[in-house]
């Protein structure tokens, strides 16, 4: 969120191209906007597994796992319950911050397009591109059951979410037909095509 630094009151600025413009006084400040790349997937799809490979293969981008902010948000939110829209909006702010250094953000997160479209930070991002990591239901079930006991294991819910993502996200990257390095290379190729 950009606030005008010339006005006496905290006036929220609006994006115009790669600038933030004050609607009251017309003050203009640089505010580069870039696309965001969201690599989504239901639990057990392989987001955590491909993460280090994406970091290595995309040194010119900032690659994040959205789960990194869950702990801090639990501590910051009343009663330890995460405000999920605020959590997602925070990641849009991180991506916009990365854009100020001319870096694209690749975010591994179980987000959907409709969860981001109405957030305040959405207007500070140009396009949001989605790809879904996916695997067969039986493979996902095995992966979830192999997790440590402290991990959440609502398998049926994750299978239903995976089905929803398959039906709504056009770009699908399989993680059960190749090693993680190859799945990551497919994601890298998808990002590179859109960055140009």
């Amino acid at each position: 969120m950009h606030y005008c630094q010339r006005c006496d009151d905290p006036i929220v600025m609006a994006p115009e191209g790669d600038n933030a413009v004050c609607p009251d006084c017309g003050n203009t400040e640089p505010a580069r906007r870039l696309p965001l790349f969201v690599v989504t997937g239901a639990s057990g799809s392989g987001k955590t597994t491909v993460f280090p490979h994406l970091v290595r293969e995309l040194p010119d981008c900032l690659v994040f796992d959205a789960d990194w902010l869950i702990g801090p948000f639990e501590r910051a939110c009343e009663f330890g319950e995460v405000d999920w829209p605020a959590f997602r909006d925070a990641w849009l702010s991180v991506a916009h911050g990365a854009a100020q250094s001319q870096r694209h953000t690749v975010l591994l997160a179980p987000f959907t397009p409709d969860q981001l479209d109405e957030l305040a930070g959405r207007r500070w991002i140009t396009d949001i591109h989605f790809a879904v990591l996916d695997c067969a239901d039986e493979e996902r079930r095995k992966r979830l059951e192999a997790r440590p006991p402290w991990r959440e294991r609502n398998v049926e819910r994750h299978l239903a979410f995976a089905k929803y993502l398959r039906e709504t996200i056009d770009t699908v990257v399989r993680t059960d037909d190749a090693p993680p390095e190859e799945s990551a290379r497919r994601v890298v190729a998808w990002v590179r095509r859109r960055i140009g």
Side-chain angles (χ1 to χ4, degrees):
M1 188 78 67
H2 293 268
Y3 290 93
C4 183
Q5 300 301 307
R6 290 190 183 165
C7 289
D8 291 337
D9 295 316
I11 304 297
V12 177
M13 301 175 86
E16 282 188 22
D18 278 339
N19 292 304
V21 178
C22 176
D24 281 13
C25 74
N27 177 36
T28 301
E29 298 173 1
R32 181 182 304 277
R33 297 186 309 147
L34 290 175
L36 167 64
F37 298 89
V38 178
V39 180
T40 189
S43 288
S45 63
K47 295 184 298 295
T48 301
T49 304
V50 301
F51 173 79
H53 305 289
L54 293 178
V55 170
R56 185 174 55 253
E57 297 291 328
L58 291 168
D60 51 324
C61 297
L62 295 179
V63 182
F64 295 104
D65 183 332
D67 288 354
W68 293 350
L69 288 185
I70 290 177
F73 262 74
E74 285 175 339
R75 291 191 299 276
C77 294
E78 188 174 5
F79 307 117
E81 294 180 16
V82 173
D83 178 337
W84 292 108
F87 177 80
R88 291 185 282 267
D89 206 23
W91 278 114
L92 293 181
S93 293
V94 169
H96 179 55
Q100 305 322 296
S101 297
Q102 301 182 3
R103 306 279 296 276
H104 288 87
T105 296
V106 178
L107 180 62
L108 290 98
F111 296 169
T112 61
D114 60 298
Q115 291 174 329
L116 303 181
D117 284 342
E118 301 302 317
L119 298 175
R122 174 63 185 92
R123 64 190 191 145
W124 297 102
I125 306 291
T126 56
D127 298 321
I128 301 182
H129 303 286
F130 275 83
V132 59
L133 297 183
D134 197 19
C135 61
D137 286 349
E138 282 312 305
E139 176 63 21
R140 186 181 313 278
R141 189 180 299 278
K142 283 192 286 189
R143 291 176 182 181
L144 293 172
E145 289 172 353
R147 288 180 168 181
W150 60 268
R151 297 285 304 267
E152 187 271 324
R153 293 173 185 238
N154 188 336
V155 175
E156 297 310 315
R157 183 168 65 89
H158 297 308
L159 292 176
F161 185 47
K163 180 178 184 293
Y164 170 78
L165 291 173
R166 273 184 221 118
E167 294 170 352
T168 57
I169 306 292
D170 291 334
T171 302
V172 178
V173 176
R174 302 292 301 191
T175 62
D176 56 357
D177 65 350
E181 298 89 339
E182 177 56 30
S183 297
R185 278 194 285 273
R186 295 171 186 169
V187 173
V188 169
W190 167 73
V191 170
R192 294 280 182 228
R193 281 194 303 272
R194 278 151 185 80
I195 290 177

